[in-house]
Amino acid sequence: MTTLRTFIKTWSEKLLFMEDASASANWLQELLSLMGYTTSVDIRLAEASPEQVKVNSKSYWLEINTGGLQLPQVQSLIGQDGTVIDSLQYLANTILNRYESSELNHSQNHNFYTIELDGYRTKRLESLSSLAEEALLQVRDTKNEFVIKHLSSADRRYIHQLLEEFPDIETHSQGREPNRHLIVKLVQV
């Protein structure tokens, strides 16, 4: 049986020489297989933010197909409050970008990988968009900062990106994990 350490080492070596975007879907599919899940993974290129375009990075969505998975398996892969799917996404971003910073590949690109399962991520992003809008309106109305707690680093990054288009609003993260939180406030003039 392949261990996680062997799996990561093997894939890190494979990714050094692979430029095909499907390599990331293959990586996730093999990881899920090691976890005992029989499913497939689809990949699509998502619209990149202006910052990603500037540095030639790409944003990929890796969608785990629910066909062949039972409801308890789907729930297990998402985890309580999305902890498992967030961990898979963190692992994907760490491992799949690892080869890009190696000495064999002098590219400085950092691609972004979002893992979707049964519409969870789409619903989560909609919820975060609503939260960002609420923060924006409250900060403008009260002139006080708005603190958002209990967000993953990916969720914080998403809200940062949503609010960066408003010149009168600034955001920053504060604290240490697992108690790190996001501050939304008016730009001081």
Side-chain angles (χ1 to χ4, degrees):
M1 182 172 183
T2 304
T3 65
L4 182 57
R5 183 174 298 205
T6 304
F7 169 76
I8 290 171
K9 183 179 184 306
T10 302
W11 269 96
S12 294
E13 292 168 357
K14 285 181 186 179
L15 289 169
L16 283 172
F17 304 103
M18 299 176 98
E19 293 183 24
D20 185 5
S22 66
S24 55
N26 293 339
W27 173 86
L28 180 56
Q29 188 168 328
E30 188 172 329
L31 177 62
L32 291 168
S33 177
L34 285 171
M35 295 170 65
Y37 298 100
T38 305
T39 187
S40 60
V41 176
D42 295 324
I43 187 168
R44 69 179 165 88
L45 187 60
E47 185 176 324
S49 70
E51 295 74 34
Q52 291 170 329
V53 171
K54 286 179 194 172
V55 295
N56 200 26
S57 293
K58 294 181 174 72
S59 184
Y60 295 104
W61 275 65
L62 302 171
E63 185 162 357
I64 302 169
N65 294 315
T66 56
L69 295 177
Q70 297 173 1
L71 182 58
Q73 291 176 306
V74 171
Q75 292 170 334
S76 179
L77 279 170
I78 292 173
Q80 184 177 353
D81 298 324
T83 55
V84 175
I85 197 169
D86 285 348
S87 295
L88 289 171
Q89 183 168 298
Y90 175 80
L91 190 58
N93 279 284
T94 301
I95 298 299
L96 296 173
N97 279 300
R98 187 174 186 182
Y99 77 98
E100 293 175 356
S101 62
S102 73
E103 291 181 26
L104 294 175
N105 185 342
H106 298 288
S107 171
Q108 295 299 315
N109 297 351
H110 179 89
N111 293 323
F112 296 90
Y113 297 92
T114 302
I115 296 184
E116 173 68 287
L117 174 60
D118 199 32
Y120 172 81
R121 189 66 62 195
T122 301
K123 291 175 204 160
R124 181 68 180 151
L125 293 181
E126 288 171 5
S127 172
L128 290 172
S129 294
S130 295
L131 182 58
E133 185 176 348
E134 176 188 343
L136 174 70
L137 294 174
Q138 187 170 334
V139 165
R140 283 179 171 167
D141 186 44
T142 67
K143 311 287 189 251
N144 293 323
E145 66 182 33
F146 188 93
V147 179
I148 306 172
K149 298 182 178 183
H150 310 295
L151 294 176
S152 69
S153 61
D155 289 350
R156 286 192 305 272
R157 186 183 79 228
Y158 183 71
I159 291 180
H160 283 300
Q161 289 173 339
L162 287 175
L163 295 177
E164 71 187 2
E165 70 181 73
F166 299 98
D168 62 325
I169 298 294
E170 66 180 86
T171 62
H172 68 274
S173 294
Q174 183 175 314
R176 291 181 172 248
E177 297 294 353
N179 299 314
R180 196 157 171 82
H181 49 275
L182 182 72
I183 308 289
V184 180
K185 63 182 186 176
L186 290 173
V187 170
Q188 300 296 325
V189 280

